[in-house]
Amino acid sequence: MLCFNTFLISATPLPLTNAQNSKTRIRTHNISCIPEAYDDDDETGSASKNTVAVPHHLKTITSTSNLFVKHCLKLRRSSSYRHSHGSVLVVGTTPIREIYNFQETLQDRPTVECLLVLDKYDVPQDIDGRSIHVVHVSSAVMRKLSGVQSIDSVEVIALMRIPSTFHVVSNSLNDEDRCRLFPFPHRILVLDGIQDPGNLGTLLRSATAFRWGGVFLLPGCCDPFNEKALRASRGASFQIPIVSGNWTHVESLRKEFQMKMLAGHPADDQDSNKVHRLSQDFADYVADLPLCLVLGSEGAGLSEESRQACELISIPMAGEFESLNVSVAGGIFMYMLQPENRRVN
């Protein structure tokens, strides 16, 4: 089943409600952008909702004590601050360019609030800075905001709005909501407690590369707009629908779209009769079936809910390793199970 609705949400964050206690079905304006489960906040403290905007007349920032620099630093370090403001720092020319190129295919542009360009450098090619406020910053400011010691490869940072394709759901879903969250639900990646931002970002990048229809984050996952996740995703966080919710919402999607539930799991002697082996024959068998692929964290593995709800599937390995890194395994699964009509031979 395909849903072709275009989904937009208000840029104003709305409070979350308890999904189990709420009787109000979720509507467009009830989808929030403040993920309570994300806990990568640091010493920056609780999120302030007083926006610190860069003055339009300002063309240069040289001091790391500048209030706008401090605001940007909090956006990079604190998940709650990021989502309360609905803004994120994207560091580096390559991910910014990839986001721009993707948005161009949609005849749209991401909302860029400001471009911070290293002093004596120009706005990189393929990034149209004519209608964007460009501020040149000193090497000290660039180093502070980028989070890296060597800024040789960092010439620009973009302050962007969190995309409208990212949602946190807290209430129950109706048919319209499900279609709007995932317009193309043939292949959905479900991440179960993936806390490492590098792994999560890499999985987002692979899901985007293999044209999966979206990514669902179960409780315990890190923020997809965490600086390390953004770096690993190379802009994919802005290119694919991402929804954060719980198993009740996944079950709702399964019923609505008649999805087959699969979960990656290492094969062992005890489970050998219960675990499917990934193969071309298996991929062909499920090619026309809508499916969810669930991947658990390397440390804890799949949650009990995931194990009970899904058919387990493993990657055959000739070596003696018990399992692969979750982002590596996820890439293999998504390549083999990618939609048949999009597969590159």
Side-chain angles (χ1 to χ4, degrees), residues 91 118 139 142-144 146-155 231:
V91 177
L118 187 61
S139 58
M142 184 63 74
R143 185 176 296 108
K144 187 86 169 180
S146 66
V148 297
Q149 289 301 312
S150 175
I151 59 172
D152 292 342
S153 60
V154 181
E155 301 173 3
R231 193 177 302 130

Side-chain angles (χ1 to χ4, degrees), residues 51-123:
T51 301
V52 181
V54 59
H56 288 290
H57 66 272
L58 188 61
K59 301 300 182 184
T60 304
I61 299 177
T62 59
S63 173
T64 57
S65 299
N66 180 280
L67 286 178
F68 184 71
V69 172
K70 291 182 178 181
H71 166 67
C72 291
L73 191 60
K74 285 186 179 182
L75 291 176
R76 180 170 69 81
R77 290 178 171 176
S78 171
S79 176
S80 60
Y81 193 86
R82 244 188 327 270
H83 289 277
S84 70
H85 287 274
S87 298
V88 62
L89 286 185
V90 180
V91 177
T93 303
T94 299
I96 296 172
R97 182 181 289 124
E98 290 196 14
I99 294 169
Y100 263 74
N101 290 341
F102 171 77
Q103 292 292 335
E104 278 188 339
T105 64
L106 303 179
Q107 296 182 339
D108 193 8
R109 289 282 192 181
T111 303
V112 179
E113 299 176 341
C114 182
L115 277 180
L116 304 174
V117 181
L118 187 61
D119 195 25
K120 298 180 181 179
Y121 282 83
D122 296 323
V123 175

Side-chain angles (χ1 to χ4, degrees), residues 66-231:
N66 180 280
L67 286 178
F68 184 71
V69 172
K70 291 182 178 181
H71 166 67
C72 291
L73 191 60
K74 285 186 179 182
L75 291 176
R76 180 170 69 81
R77 290 178 171 176
S78 171
S79 176
S80 60
Y81 193 86
R82 244 188 327 270
H83 289 277
S84 70
H85 287 274
S87 298
V88 62
L89 286 185
V90 180
V91 177
T93 303
T94 299
I96 296 172
R97 182 181 289 124
E98 290 196 14
I99 294 169
Y100 263 74
N101 290 341
F102 171 77
Q103 292 292 335
E104 278 188 339
T105 64
L106 303 179
Q107 296 182 339
D108 193 8
R109 289 282 192 181
T111 303
V112 179
E113 299 176 341
C114 182
L115 277 180
L116 304 174
V117 181
L118 187 61
D119 195 25
K120 298 180 181 179
Y121 282 83
D122 296 323
V123 175
Q125 293 181 350
D126 300 332
I127 300 177
D128 183 6
R130 291 174 296 178
S131 59
I132 301 172
H133 187 185
V134 177
V135 177
H136 283 84
V137 301
S138 66
S139 58
V141 171
M142 184 63 74
R143 185 176 296 108
K144 187 86 169 180
L145 294 181
S146 66
V148 297
Q149 289 301 312
S150 175
I151 59 172
D152 292 342
S153 60
V154 181
E155 301 173 3
V156 62
I157 295 176
L159 177 59
M160 293 184 172
R161 299 295 296 174
I162 290 176
S164 61
T165 49
F166 172 74
H167 313 291
V168 172
V169 293
S170 56
N171 298 330
S172 56
L173 299 174
N174 61 26
D175 294 347
E176 183 180 357
D177 297 322
R178 286 184 285 263
C179 290
R180 287 174 171 172
L181 291 172
F182 294 116
F184 301 96
H186 189 62
R187 292 286 186 271
I188 302 297
L189 176 66
V190 179
L191 302 183
D192 185 2
I194 304 295
Q195 298 177 343
D196 183 272
N199 284 336
L200 189 138
T202 302
L203 288 165
L204 290 176
R205 187 177 177 184
S206 296
T208 303
F210 297 129
R211 301 293 181 88
W212 279 50
V215 178
F216 194 100
L217 307 179
L218 288 169
C221 288
C222 70
D223 186 349
F225 300 99
N226 170 290
E227 59 176 312
K228 294 181 180 178
L230 282 173
R231 193 177 302 130

